[in-house]
Each structure stands twice: as structure tokens, then as C-alpha cells.
Amino acid sequence: MFTLDEIREYAGVDGLTSPAAEESRKKYGANVMTPPEREPLWKQYLKNFDSPIIKILLFAVMISAVVSVLEGSGLLDILAILAAILLATGISFCNEYRSSREFDVLNARRDDVAVRVIRDSHPKVVRSRDIVVGDLILLEAGDAIPGDGWLLASNGIFCDESAFTGESEPAHKEIGEKVFKGSFVTDGKGRMIAAAVGDATGMGVIAAALGIDHSTRTPLESKLENLAGRISEFGYVMAILICSTLIIRGILVGDVTGFNVATANHVLSYFMLAVVIIVAAVPEGLPMSVALSLSLAMRKMTRANCLVRRLVACETIGSATTICTDKTGTLTKNQMEVAGASVTSPTLPGPVPASAAAWITLNAAVNGTAHLEEQEDGRARAIGNSTEGALLRWLRAHAIDYRQLRDEHPACRQILFDGKRKRMSTVVDLDGRRILLVKGAPEILSGLCMPAPNLHGVETLASRAMRTLAFAHKEITGDDESETGLLWDGYVGIRDPLRDDVAQSVTRCQHAGIRVRMVTGDTPATAHAVASEAGILRGGTVITGREFRELPAEGQVAAAASLDVMARAEPMDKLLLVQALQETGAVVAVTGDGTNDAPALRRADVGLAMGIAGTDVAREASDIILLDDSFASITSAVWWGRSLYENIQRFLIFQLTINFSICILVLAAPLLGYPEPFTIIEILWVNIIMDTLAALALCSEAPHPGLLDRSPILRDAPIITPFMAVSIAVTGTFLVVAGLLQLSTGFLGGQTDAEIASVFFAAFIIAAVINGFNCRAMDGRMPAFFSGNPTFFFVMSGIVVIQVLIIQFGESIFGTVPLTVAEWVTIAIAAAVPVLVLGFLIRSAFACHRASGKIPAGS
């Protein structure tokens, strides 16, 4: 960035000509920050293959390909597994790509804001992206600073630099001081000269230095990796076990007799069976379940004002154990309002005010420079000083038109507020009398009034963390326009109120086991008051950023555990807090809107940037963008995130039960001398097609209120809970025992081997479908039977219909034979009733243990 003297020497102080502006653009660049380098689309797609489950599937494809070459068949198996892989990775890629495009459109709007400059010696309006080094820019209240530069003229300019400093109070700027891109003019007028644009600005330098990435591994990614490892181990152990057992059996019965062709054929068949075991153990539908669950959650969260930029963040927010939230704009409305006053309400003044309320009304309307801008939603946005805007909204709420009062009483003379005087004065003419109106800090005005007022009421409002403002007046006699001997009229208390739903949302988070912590640049007194009102302060500590920063690393970890509020926080304090909390094992969600928040957003397990007030850098560093800047949207995101995680667990119970029983059946049947329970094509139907369809059915389950009645899942907690493990083992064992009985005795029906095998295959699929109902009630309560998830009934009914068609008409492909109506009725009753009863008994047993406190909720 040029120094003030350097930029004056380069561009002068009278504005650029059009040719000079074009030359500056070529030399120093346009006012657009270079977006982080995006990976090529093919690389973005290939990243989806980094999933551990996908890797297992790819390994299964390789094994199947080898076997296919050896046997000259099995191509259909390979194609089916590849289809599952491509479908799962394709869904994830498409959703993240669409979200990325929406994010880019959101950011592009920032560079199209109109800016007033002096070009060719005349005022001109250009887009922010067209500002160049050396441009003379006209500023007034409400303008965004388009680039870094120096003030050449200042008439009471105040800038909101919270995006850099975290300080909520606007900073007073005088001639010759720096101003920064990303800050806003809250009051006054002036001119600046641009000394740096685009990537050369402070915001651009920070963005480049950050090198936005998302290296933090999410809880779901870690848990799925661990699960994949366990599934691989199970499959390999089963494969080695069956190969070894069958070889020993072959030696004992005379099938394996030495190095000859017959022995080679037998060993090859054993190897094929082992491959089938490995393929059967892999949950092919799991990537599909995860992708579909994430996709559905992403769409629902977008409707709830949460734009998801990183798909897996949908689940991570559900695992959050603590939320570090900003105050302004997130917990509060970011709109100052009058919350208390010495008068009941403002009163419309006559030609000469006759009451304290009327004098306050006239002072609030006339003695100021702010304006209200009506918005489409019926609200009024303050243009200019936020405190004055609060006064104007107060008048508006009582049907008093400040514009009319200003037109009727134009200012004869006006002295703007400054930090030294701490007051603003305006002289007006009232019915031929000259009146001096003064408003400002109560402690200052009280010393200028006769008699001195009692400030007890002011102190009461100040103790409630309100910004207090006093009003006084006097009639000017002769030439005495001094601000002494004033008559005290009263005072108001102004604050940025909480959003209407914040207290309720904070309570819901706490009830859900999520600790909410507030990080703000405000004073400890203000932070304490706001946190108490929001329900955040619940016995924890209030610490300043400086106190926390000066602690040793181990002291920061200890302090973070008990911290409820961090006040006077500086840019890097939030990052230190996130790191300390993660050291305690917490899954940390962070909200932020400023450039200075980007490091914490990036480091957090899930970063939540503001869509309205957030800077480009903050939003680029985030995982989720809150489109309405509301804390309540975080609660909705948590709800959907937990639902997503539970739906994945539902599918895991469903599929691992099937996979476990298939593996045991394929192992046990030959050892016991029974025919092979499944053909390759039947295993293909069960493992690929049926489980993929079941993923769609179970991941569509709607969230239920109970999700926010339990604590978050711990970061290191396995995704397979004790309840799930027992359910898989018990139900799977039942299917194995019942299946072996059918294969050995045909007790459900069938006379020939083909009929017995067909009844077994039909009963196995029907039992698996019925077990889907048990999976729906994973939390111990059956959800709304039909309205909760109509997709489930549609998909499961479709599976049953397809299964009937396979049995009745699939003899040439599946080797089945048609069954009678009586046999189908017997199968339906025998498969459905025991499985439903078994599921009910398992849930009841765990509910009793949970009620007794022997196992934690959610296990």
C-alpha cells in the first residue's frame, strides 16, 4: 500500500482522468480479489474416491476381475459394483459443485456495489470492481470502503472496522488516517484516495496468506474410516477361515489329493467362495447411503437458511459439542433500538414543545444527520450513525415523522459529534425564538445543566449494558450560544436487542448437550449482560481476550473448559479458543463474519460464516453459510445433522445384519454338508441392488424432536453403538439359524432342493425387508408410520414386488422355481412376525437398561 505522500505524488488529490485510471488498472490491477485457486473438476470428482468404503469396493472390483478372467464369467458382478461406486461418488460431486456455484454467485454481487468517484474532474458512479489506485472516492454514511486508502477530507467520519479489529464501536477517522477495504462509514462525510485495491489490500493479503483449505478431519470421516477397517478385517478373516476350513475338509473327504487338475479345480472353487465372502462383507450401499443422506440434509438445510459449502459439514454440525458464537448480528439484530427512557413515549411537539417528552422528540428528530431507508420487508434501515438511527426508529414506532420535523425546523447551525466533546448541538428557530438543542453523553451534559440532574435512572440503564444518551436545550439570548446553563430534558437507553428466537435457540442447544460460548469485542459489562439475557452465562467464567491470550497453552485449555464469555476479544483470540477447546476433545462450531475470523473458521470442525454481514474471506473459509445471519439457523442445522448421522446408523444396522448373516451362511452351509445357500447372482441382488434401494429408503427418514433431547455423539465414539452391535448380532444369528433349518429340513415349504432353496431365498429377503421397520425405530420409538417417511414404504414395497417376480419368473437367471400362494403366505408370516418381535424385545431391553442408568442415552 502506498504511503499518503507517495499516493499524492503519484495521483495528486483532484481525481484521475479516464486514461490515467486505465493506466493505473494495467499497472496495479483491478479491485477484485483473486479467488482461491479451484481444483479442476476432475480432481474434485476424484477426491470422492478417497472414502475408505469406496476403496474397499474398488478392491472388490479388482478381485472380481481376477476371478472373472480365471472363470470366464462374473462380468455382471463387476459392472454392478462399479455402478454403485459411480452413483455414490457422482451424487457427492454434483451436490458440492452446485453449492460451490451458488457460493460464487453470492460473492460476485459484492464487486458490483456502486461507488462515487471523481473522474475527469466530475463526480461519477462506478462499480466497486472498477476502482483503481489513485481514485478520489466520495464517502458518506452507509458507504462500504471499496479499497485501502487515506482520508483527504473528513467531516465527522466514523468507520465500522469490526471485520478487522472485532471492535463493535465505530472508530473516529481524521484527515490523514488509513481506511480499509471491508469496513463501513457509519457517520459523517469525506473523501479518500485509494492506495491499494484488490489483492494488495489488507483483506486481500490476509486471504492470500490464509491459503484457505479444509484439512480438519471430520468425526464422520474418521468413524467411517475405522468402520471400513473393521469390515475389511472381518471379510479377510472370514475368507481365510473358509479357505482353510474347506481345504482341510477337502483333504479329509478326498477332494484334495495332491498336485493334479481335480485338486486345482476344488481349490479354485474354495477361492471363489472366499471372494464371495469378501464381496458379501462389504456394505456396497453405504457410500450411497452417506451420499444420499448428505444430499437430502444439504437441501433441507439450505431451505433453513444454511448454504452448505462442504457436504460432510452437514453431519459435523450435528456432532458439535460447543458453539463459539459472535454477538452482533448473530445473537442480536445488529440494529440499535431504544430500550428504555425517562419518558413513557415520544410526543409530537407543537410550535414550542411544552413537555420533556416533546423536547426529547424534537431533539431526536432535528439534532442529527442520520436517515431511515424503508426496506421491502417493512423495516427501516438506518443510513448514518446507528445511535441516531435508533432514535428515528423510536419516533417512527410512535407514528412521528422525523422528516416533517426537520422540514419545519431546519438547522441554523450544527456542530457534529466528536470524541472529545461527546455531544452534538443544533440551533433551530422555534416561533421566532432561537433554541439550542444538545444531545450526548449524560455525564457530560449533566455538568452543563442548571440545575444538575439526578443520574440514578441513567445509571440503572447503563447497568443493563445500554448505551445512554441525554437531551438538553436552552433558549439563546443575545449572542450567547455557549453550551452552558442548559435545561435537562431526559435520557434514553439504546442497545442492540437480541433476536426474538435467540434465547429459545440457546436453550435448545444446551438441552441438546451443546455448550454455547460468546466471543465479542464488547466490554465485559456489555458482554455479561447480553450473555445473561441470551441464557449463555450459566455459571461459567467471563474472561477478556487479553487475559486468555496471556495464559500458557495448558492454562488456555483449562480456562476454555469453564469459559462462557470472552470479551474484548481480538482477531486471533477466537482461534486460540478453538484450538484450546479441541484439545479437550470438543467438536467445535464457530460463527464469524469478519476477515479476522477466517483463521478460526478454517480451524474449527465446522465454520459458519454470515451470508449478509460476512466478508468474502470469512465466507471462503467457512463450511456453512448462514444466509440470514441468525443463531436459530444453527439449531436447525444441528437438528438435521443429527438426523443424517442417525439415518446412516439405521442403514448400517440394516445392511450389516444382512452381510453378517450372508457371510455366516455361506461359510456354515458347505461345512454342514448343505447346498450353497446363494448363487452369485442372488448375492449380487442382495448386496448391490437391494441394499442400494434400502439406502434410499432409510436415509429419507425425517428428523424427530428427540434428536435434540440427547447429548452429541463424542468425537471418538464408534459409529456402531452397543445397541446396533447387539441388534446386528441377534437378528443376524436368527436369520442364520432359521436359514440353515430351512436348507436342511424345508420346514417353511418345498419338496425338491430347488423349491427349498427358493423358499429360503424368498424368506431371507422378506425377513430383511421387515427388519427395515426395526431399523426405523432405532431410538426406541417407532416414527410416524406412514407420514414420517413415505419413501420407505414405496421402496420396500418395490423390493418385495421385485423379489416375487424373481422367484416366480427368474428361473433362467436366478435358478428359482415358482411358489404357491399358500407358500408365500407362510413365508410372509414366518419371516415377518419373529423379526418384528425380536426387534421389539431388543429395543425394550435397551430401554430398560437405559432407564436404569446402566447404559448412556444414545447407545
Side-chain angles (χ1 to χ4, degrees), residues 637-691:
V638 169
W639 192 45
W640 280 103
R642 291 189 177 184
S643 173
L644 181 155
Y645 188 84
E646 192 172 82
N647 284 345
I648 293 173
Q649 289 182 310
R650 284 189 174 98
F651 176 74
L652 282 172
I653 294 180
F654 180 84
Q655 186 166 25
L656 293 183
T657 299
I658 294 175
N659 291 9
F660 169 77
S661 56
I662 288 178
C663 287
I664 301 301
L665 281 167
V666 171
L667 171 65
L671 293 179
L672 296 174
Y674 304 146
E676 291 185 9
F678 300 98
T679 65
I680 294 294
I681 193 67
E682 286 173 346
I683 291 179
L684 174 66
W685 158 241
V686 174
N687 258 33
I688 305 290
I689 303 171
M690 177 181 167
D691 290 347

Side-chain angles (χ1 to χ4, degrees), residues 39-58:
E39 290 182 329
L41 292 180
W42 64 271
K43 278 191 176 181
Q44 294 179 38
Y45 175 68
L46 289 181
K47 285 173 64 177
N48 290 281
F49 286 82
D50 198 36
S51 164
I53 299 294
I54 294 292
K55 290 177 181 177
I56 292 180
L57 287 176
L58 291 173

Side-chain angles (χ1 to χ4, degrees), residues 303-431:
R303 292 173 193 166
N305 291 313
C306 298
L307 175 62
V308 179
R309 299 194 57 239
R310 190 177 178 218
L311 207 57
V312 78
C314 294
E315 181 278 329
T316 311
I317 187 64
S319 300
T321 59
T322 187
I323 298 173
C324 298
T325 177
D326 287 340
K327 175 185 75 72
T328 304
T330 307
L331 298 177
T332 65
K333 296 180 179 179
N334 197 20
Q335 180 171 285
M336 304 297 288
E337 293 181 0
V338 174
S342 59
V343 297
T344 304
S345 63
T347 302
L348 190 66
V352 177
S355 66
W359 279 111
I360 292 175
T361 300
L362 181 66
N363 202 329
V366 175
N367 188 22
T369 59
H371 292 273
L372 293 183
E373 180 180 78
E374 298 293 334
Q375 296 181 292
E376 292 181 359
D377 57 5
R379 296 187 300 174
R381 182 172 71 97
I383 304 299
N385 183 272
S386 58
T387 300
E388 290 184 359
L391 295 175
L392 299 183
R393 275 191 292 268
W394 184 47
L395 301 184
R396 180 178 180 268
H398 291 84
I400 296 175
D401 187 352
Y402 77 92
R403 296 181 182 84
Q404 182 178 344
L405 291 176
R406 286 186 183 178
D407 291 340
E408 293 174 353
H409 308 290
C412 303
R413 183 174 65 85
Q414 198 168 64
I415 303 176
L416 298 179
F417 179 92
D418 66 51
K420 295 179 181 179
R421 298 176 68 250
K422 293 188 177 181
R423 61 186 184 273
M424 178 176 180
S425 304
T426 299
V427 176
V428 296
D429 191 306
L430 294 184
D431 201 22

Side-chain angles (χ1 to χ4, degrees), residues 777-849:
M778 201 185 78
D779 65 332
R781 296 173 299 171
M782 184 65 73
F785 199 69
F786 287 108
S787 61
N789 184 7
T791 303
F792 176 85
F793 291 91
F794 177 78
V795 171
M796 290 304 188
S797 298
I799 290 176
V800 171
V801 170
I802 295 173
Q803 181 65 18
V804 171
L805 294 175
I806 287 174
I807 297 294
Q808 300 299 111
F809 307 104
E811 183 174 2
S812 60
I813 299 177
F814 289 87
T816 58
V817 295
L819 303 178
T820 66
V821 174
E823 286 175 322
W824 277 111
V825 172
T826 302
I827 290 170
I829 296 173
V833 175
V835 170
L836 288 175
V837 171
L838 200 59
F840 174 76
L841 292 176
I842 295 171
R843 293 194 300 273
S844 299
F846 266 79
C848 291
H849 279 274

Side-chain angles (χ1 to χ4, degrees), residues 31 146 185 211 216 271 370 405 450 475 479 511 545 665 704 753 788 846:
N31 192 30
V185 179
T216 304
F271 176 74
L405 291 176
M450 291 294 291
E475 182 176 355
D479 295 329
H511 184 65
L665 281 167
H704 56 84
D753 288 344
F846 266 79

Side-chain angles (χ1 to χ4, degrees), residues 96-143:
E96 290 198 347
Y97 176 79
R98 182 173 61 183
S99 177
S100 177
R101 297 286 73 79
E102 290 175 0
F103 171 74
D104 290 340
V105 169
L106 192 65
N107 272 346
R109 297 173 186 167
R110 293 293 181 95
D111 296 325
D112 291 328
V113 175
V115 179
R116 291 173 299 117
V117 300
I118 301 293
R119 289 262 182 95
D120 301 315
S121 302
H122 298 290
K124 184 178 181 180
V125 175
V126 301
R127 294 179 302 174
S128 176
R129 67 173 68 243
D130 295 326
I131 294 296
V132 298
V133 169
D135 260 331
L136 184 61
I137 301 166
L138 305 178
L139 300 175
E140 64 179 31
D143 287 347

